[in-house]
Amino acid sequence: MATDVAQKTSGAAQKTANQAAGIGAKAANTAGQGAAHAAKVLNEGVGNAAGNLAKIGNAGASATQAQATLMVEQMYSIASGSSGGGGAAPTASFTSADQAAVIDAIKPAVKQAVDMWKISAHFSDLTIMAVSAVGAPGCLDGPELESHIRIHPKVQSLSGLARDMANGIAEGFSDNFFLWQNAVTVPGLPWYPAFAAFPGPIAPPMPNVPMPLISCVSARASKIMVHSEIADAITQALPAPLSGETAFINRVATGLALAASTWLGSAQVMNVLGHGQVPSFAPPYVPVGPVVGGTIIAAPGHLMTAPSLNPIIV
């Protein structure tokens, strides 16, 4: 009897244990599925977040590219002489009214300065060999432009940052103009055809054949013909509050460069009086001969007929 009760009790316990094990396994399986689902959700969330970040990054890159494109278009507009904007933001106190006043003053001031320069400019230290005239760098003399630009009444009427900007333009362009002038040469130009075979022992002063000033080559011609080089010179001459006015500086420099390029091609070098000896002249056997070791009369007037340099600042 006791044995039967023990066996029944043992069987019941075994059944209960098996049921508990089954419930535990089911719970573990459910927990595993939950963990897998949680991991899946987490992975999807991370993936979505990464995708969103990538989309945001791509949008940012596109915006940056659009901004860069806009800046290039603006700088191209400036280099083309347009009145459009671009470059650094204007200084708060250097207003559009100041810009208009500076342009209105600097255009006639530069014109007047170059007109004054033409009165005094002249060639010197040239050597004449037969038809050719030769001059080394430095053979073109002339006064500096800065003081003539600064004393113009319209520049004198400016004040504050507008006056500082005009003075910086005067200094920068004058410095570059001097660098161009100081490198001008006369590279064996055929100025005196009559001196190839002159019928006399000495050739008297005769004017040269007129030629464009640009034919007198200067190694520093880019200083007045390339707008970026003029802009750099102006920027260096300006006080710190104005050196960031990139758009306006480029606008002025472009106008000056275009005007200088046109002027160099249209200005004529004239009335350079050359003379010299004819060593081989020995009539009646040698009735004519070339001028050898001739020179010129270094006097103002060689560029008096040149047109005005009118800045094309728009």
Side-chain angles (χ1 to χ4, degrees), residues 21-212:
I23 292 170
K26 184 176 181 180
N29 183 50
T30 301
Q33 291 176 347
H37 180 69
K40 180 178 180 182
V41 170
L42 179 60
N43 289 334
E44 290 176 351
V46 171
N48 290 337
N52 290 335
L53 287 174
K55 291 178 180 178
I56 293 171
N58 290 336
S62 298
T64 301
Q65 184 176 7
Q67 291 173 347
T69 301
L70 178 60
M71 289 178 66
V72 170
E73 291 174 350
Q74 290 171 336
M75 289 307 298
Y76 177 80
S77 176
I78 292 168
S80 300
S82 167
S83 59
T91 304
S93 54
F94 187 67
T95 64
S96 57
D98 289 331
Q99 294 183 14
V102 170
I103 292 174
D104 184 60
I106 209 68
K107 290 168 72 174
V110 169
K111 175 184 178 297
Q112 174 182 278
V114 177
D115 284 344
M116 296 297 293
W117 177 86
K118 291 189 304 176
I119 294 174
S120 301
H122 62 277
F123 287 89
S124 61
D125 300 323
L126 300 189
T127 299
I128 299 173
M129 301 297 291
V131 302
S132 301
V134 179
C139 64
L140 178 59
D141 299 322
E144 52 84 27
L145 303 183
E146 183 178 356
S147 61
H148 292 294
I149 298 174
R150 285 176 176 258
I151 65 174
H152 191 277
K154 285 195 173 183
V155 173
Q156 290 290 311
S157 69
L158 299 174
S159 61
L161 290 178
R163 179 73 170 271
D164 292 339
M165 176 62 80
N167 288 340
I169 294 169
E171 180 180 340
F173 185 65
S174 178
D175 288 348
N176 275 23
F177 194 90
F178 174 78
L179 291 173
W180 159 77
Q181 173 188 295
N182 202 44
V184 166
T185 64
V186 179
L189 297 177
W191 278 0
Y192 305 101
F195 290 176
F198 190 80
I202 299 176
M206 292 187 179
N208 69 303
V209 173
M211 288 189 181

